[in-house]
Amino acid sequence: MITPSTTSVCESIWQQVLDKLQNDIPASRFDAWIRPVVPEINNQALLLKVSNRFFLDGLKSSYGQQILDAVQAISGSDMEVRFTVDPDLEVAAEALTEQKAHDAGRITVDGYIDPRFTFENFVVGSSNEFCHAASRAVADKPGEIYNPLYLYGGVGLGKTHLINAVANALIAKDHTRIAYRTGERFTNELIQAIRAGSTEEFRNQYRKVDVLIIDDIQFIAGKDRTQEEFFHTFNALHEVKKQIILTSDRSPRELTNLMERLRSRFNWGLVADIQPPDLETRLAILASKAELAGVDLDRDVAQLLASRITNNVRELEGALTRLTAHATLTGRTIDIDFARHVLRDLLHEEVRAISVEDIQKKVASYYNINPREMRSSKRSRTLAFPRQVAMYAAKDLTTLSLPEIGEQFGGKDHTTILYAVRKIYKMRQDDDDFDDEMDRIMALLK
Ligand code: ADP
Ligand code: MG
């Protein structure tokens, strides 16, 4: 294999640290404290460089531990991390501000758009081709065909990548003013504006744009004031044919706590869903990511990762980064044994991952009832008891919370699940025959 450069390894590790921290740190603080950090790998340690002493102290005391934890989780080892001051960065930051002021005359981008996420490095397969084509079309003719464009699907499937690709394509092309927000940031900014009595300014900044992109719009569900504000922004932009792009983890129909008038508007344009990629696409994505990272990935290793990590591209990418990091830092070749060793926790988890649906089917078949009854609320003992066994098994064999399990049993309250778990547990303790039977059922499920 070709050994990837420490620079590219460093970049991909740091990028994943950023992705992780971005979920935990409020956006404005993230932009102020985390984004300016420049990483470097030196003598097998990760060096985090900032422009001055003051910044260094603030960063370490506010986010030092979180950064260490994130690096540890991503590299899967005790990679040494050191914080240092590099005065050159101060100069670079000034130059960047000037460059930005210069660019501002040409295009306006409000919000962070990730330059890594382009159409060129998005791998198209049957699971995402519809979303991809729709995004391309919108990038070609914003405001003209699908408005709004609403992409939805599970975590780590490429929604954020696609909407950034649209933004990057528009930036490259012309004088488009783009505002990019996450649903969370939109909400927080509104709250701040209300507090500061500046809702008028808040409103106006969005009415001026040509393209408004909101990632994870599901965040505003249940927040009345935010929905109200977004509703008016939506109308104002839509009326003058400005493009609106939204992503969500659910379809508009499944977004409970969403105002009806917003739900209907989300359906005005194109609603497209993105599915987990099939094996072939996963292999192609891995190959593409490996190439970007400058790694020559063995076929067997690629096959191992792609066959085990099946429903989240971010995890697939994470596995590759960790492998590359270990290989570079230890000077070892990435072969199948090495991969198995370095990724043992990840691969193991995936093998064991068992779904509630699976449990429901198998328990239903064991008791000879229709699996649909698992989600019903009929109370006859022949149905209720198997259902309780399945609830117990779901709690024992998955990492889901009681409310999450309740959801999968047709929207039952978490207390119903808790009651079932306790009841079966107690029966197992009191009745040896039943306990043996449960052992057999549990074995069937694993
Ligand atoms: P989502 O927003 O759906 O949770 P992201 O867009 O953040 O997912 O994708 C997670 C990671 O997976 C990103 O690094 C992205 O580049 C990558 N990814 C997902 N799908 C693809 C694809 N089809 N081709 C290339 N990279 C992909
Ligand atoms: Mg996303």
Side-chain angles (χ1 to χ4, degrees), residues 156 159-161 215-216 247 314:
K159 301 181 296 295
T160 300
H161 187 135
D215 198 7
D216 293 321
T247 74
R314 189 175 296 129

Side-chain angles (χ1 to χ4, degrees), residues 297-318:
L297 199 63
D298 204 81
R299 273 180 68 97
D300 290 349
V301 176
Q303 189 73 37
L304 174 74
L305 300 190
S307 61
R308 294 287 181 81
I309 304 176
T310 55
N311 45 27
N312 184 329
V313 179
R314 189 175 296 129
E315 277 175 13
L316 199 58
E317 215 179 331

Side-chain angles (χ1 to χ4, degrees), residues 117 121-123 128 156-161 289 313-314 317:
F117 293 158
N121 53 36
F122 188 83
V123 176
N128 59 30
L157 298 184
K159 301 181 296 295
T160 300
H161 187 135
K289 301 284 177 189
V313 179
R314 189 175 296 129
E317 215 179 331

Side-chain angles (χ1 to χ4, degrees), residues 133-417:
S135 304
R136 280 264 191 199
V138 164
D140 280 344
K141 293 193 164 69
E144 289 182 37
I145 12 177
Y146 307 127
N147 203 14
L149 173 64
Y150 184 106
L151 306 180
Y152 76 94
V155 245
L157 298 184
K159 301 181 296 295
T160 300
H161 187 135
L162 277 177
I163 57 174
N164 276 271
V166 174
N168 280 314
L170 290 171
I171 292 171
K173 219 165 51 175
D174 53 25
H175 308 249
T176 312
R177 289 162 302 178
I178 304 172
Y180 181 102
R181 293 287 184 279
T182 60
E184 183 175 8
R185 186 161 185 167
F186 183 85
T187 307
N188 292 339
E189 283 179 359
L190 174 64
I191 294 170
Q192 275 168 17
I194 294 171
R195 248 188 239 138
S198 58
T199 43
E200 200 57 37
E201 282 96 321
F202 174 83
R203 219 164 273 161
N204 290 336
Q205 65 173 326
Y206 292 110
R207 310 274 156 104
K208 285 190 303 231
V209 303
D210 300 311
V211 179
L212 173 62
I213 306 178
I214 309 249
D215 198 7
D216 293 321
I217 190 74
Q218 74 271 5
F219 193 84
I220 73 168
K223 302 187 176 64
D224 291 347
R225 180 70 202 263
T226 313
Q227 291 190 61
E228 187 68 36
E229 200 58 47
F230 183 68
F231 174 75
H232 292 297
T233 301
F234 185 105
N235 289 342
L237 292 175
H238 196 273
E239 213 160 85
V240 290
K241 293 206 161 56
K242 301 297 188 188
Q243 180 71 46
I244 299 158
I245 306 176
L246 308 169
T247 74
S248 171
D249 63 351
R250 266 159 287 177
S251 72
R253 192 170 47 81
E254 292 161 316
L255 275 179
T256 41
N257 287 327
L258 186 75
M259 288 177 172
E260 215 38 59
R261 17 189 204 145
L262 268 182
R263 193 193 316 281
S264 73
R265 275 164 181 74
F266 289 175
N267 283 305
W268 277 358
L270 183 71
V271 174
D273 76 321
I274 193 162
Q275 297 286 334
D278 55 20
L279 179 65
E280 203 187 354
T281 312
R282 295 199 296 278
L283 283 167
I285 292 174
L286 261 182
S288 152
K289 301 284 177 189
E291 194 187 308
L292 283 172
V295 197
D296 187 11
L297 199 63
D298 204 81
R299 273 180 68 97
D300 290 349
V301 176
Q303 189 73 37
L304 174 74
L305 300 190
S307 61
R308 294 287 181 81
I309 304 176
T310 55
N311 45 27
N312 184 329
V313 179
R314 189 175 296 129
E315 277 175 13
L316 199 58
E317 215 179 331
L320 179 66
T321 305
R322 201 200 281 186
L323 269 186
T324 333
H326 274 258
T328 315
L329 296 176
T330 60
R332 292 216 14 207
T333 315
I334 304 180
D335 57 23
I336 196 105
D337 289 334
F338 180 74
R340 283 220 171 89
H341 175 70
V342 171
L343 302 174
R344 57 196 177 281
D345 53 335
L346 271 183
L347 301 177
H348 191 59
E349 249 171 46
E350 284 289 325
V351 185
R352 272 181 42 88
I354 164 167
S355 72
V356 173
E357 208 186 335
D358 240 314
I359 294 173
Q360 291 174 332
K361 271 194 204 135
K362 288 181 180 157
V363 174
S365 128
Y366 180 88
Y367 286 105
N368 246 325
I369 64 168
N370 189 323
R372 247 181 316 177
E373 299 296 352
M374 287 290 170
R375 301 178 62 86
S376 82
S377 34
K378 289 185 207 143
R379 285 162 190 266
S380 74
R381 188 179 149 84
T382 43
L383 301 178
F385 188 71
R387 203 185 290 133
Q388 288 172 331
V389 167
M391 289 171 179
Y392 169 90
K395 182 66 201 149
D396 201 53
L397 299 176
T398 72
T399 54
L400 299 176
S401 67
L402 294 172
E404 285 168 332
I405 294 173
E407 197 54 51
Q408 300 211 39
F409 279 86
K412 298 207 171 43
D413 193 59
H414 72 278
T415 51
T416 307
I417 311 298

